[in-house]
Amino acid sequence: PAVTPAPSFAPLQVAALERQIFDFLGYQWAPILANFLHIMAVILGIFGTIQYRSKYLMMYAVWLVLWVGWNAFIICFYLEVGRLSQDRDFIMTFNTSLHRSWWMENGPGCLVTPVMNSNLALEDHHVITVSGCLLDYQYIEVVSSATQIFLALFGFVYACYVSKVFLEEEDSFDFIGGFDSYGYQAPQKTSHLQLQPLYT
């Protein structure tokens, strides 16, 4: 087939790895797990493209629908839509710690000041105040998730198109007649054995 769409997966890989790194730095276990599954799905999509396997591309497209839903949830979480609250819900860490997004303390222009001798501090955490951020961490996370949604929508359309091309090429191949649809003619068998004279 003339289709070689594998390079188009590069932005998806880069974005997924970037997301994974910053989620690791912030101990965000739920996004880490989701990012890992997404990286595996991207690899599956690449494999399906290189090996011309439409089923793998369909599985990848189904995953992208789930991935869009997950990123939409993250946007709602950080914007505290409905009853979601960052101060009450620690979904991103599976309620195992009070860690927040890495961008909370390391965002552009952020100044972090520790609060000494605070009664609010737990045994394994410290209390800080963050000020001067050019962009609050919530909006950085929202922009990151919105970027993931945009890339996923592009990847979904791309996977569906390539899968359709592969299916059409499979249908155009005549499996019963072999290569007859491509003009190939198998050698004809002769009805009798031709004898050649033998000279001694």
Side-chain angles (χ1 to χ4, degrees):
V3 181
T4 55
S8 296
F9 285 96
L12 298 171
Q13 289 175 303
V14 171
L17 289 173
E18 174 268 332
R19 182 80 169 271
Q20 186 74 310
I21 289 169
F22 289 115
D23 286 337
F24 259 117
L25 292 172
Y27 303 101
Q28 304 293 291
W29 304 118
I32 287 169
L33 177 60
N35 294 333
F36 175 76
L37 294 174
H38 182 61
I39 290 170
M40 293 297 102
V42 171
I43 292 172
L44 185 70
I46 293 172
F47 178 78
T49 302
I50 294 174
Q51 296 295 319
Y52 306 105
R53 304 285 178 91
S54 58
K55 289 182 181 178
Y56 291 153
L57 286 170
M58 290 179 189
M59 290 171 58
Y60 173 65
V62 170
W63 165 256
L64 288 179
V65 173
L66 300 174
W67 184 242
V68 167
W70 168 251
N71 281 281
F73 169 76
I74 291 178
I75 291 173
C76 293
F77 177 78
Y78 281 108
L79 294 179
E80 297 188 338
V81 175
R83 306 184 78 179
L84 294 172
S85 171
Q86 296 179 60
D87 296 327
R88 186 184 67 247
D89 302 324
F90 295 96
I91 300 168
M92 298 303 169
T93 59
F94 291 132
N95 292 323
T96 58
S97 71
L98 300 177
H99 286 98
R100 303 291 182 91
S101 169
W102 182 81
W103 295 106
M104 181 179 183
E105 299 180 32
N106 301 283
C110 290
L111 178 62
V112 178
T113 306
V115 178
M116 300 300 181
N117 301 323
S118 173
N119 294 330
L120 299 174
L122 299 177
E123 293 181 2
D124 58 341
H125 288 82
H126 59 282
V127 176
I128 60 171
T129 60
V130 182
S131 59
C133 295
L134 299 177
L135 187 64
D136 289 339
Y137 74 96
Q138 297 97 322
Y139 301 115
I140 295 176
E141 292 287 356
V142 166
V143 168
S144 175
S145 291
T147 302
Q148 292 290 333
I149 290 174
F150 172 77
L151 291 173
L153 293 175
F154 171 77
F156 179 82
V157 172
Y158 192 78
C160 290
Y161 169 74
V162 174
S163 178
K164 180 176 178 287
V165 170
F166 290 167
L167 288 173
E168 287 176 353
E169 289 181 354
E170 288 176 6
D171 290 341
S172 67
F173 183 77
D174 183 9
F175 288 99
I176 297 175
F179 292 95
D180 290 346
S181 59
Y182 292 97
Y184 176 79
Q185 297 294 328
Q188 300 294 324
K189 293 184 179 180
T190 57
S191 59
H192 61 278
L193 181 62
Q194 295 180 350
L195 300 176
Q196 299 294 330
L198 178 63
Y199 299 99
T200 56

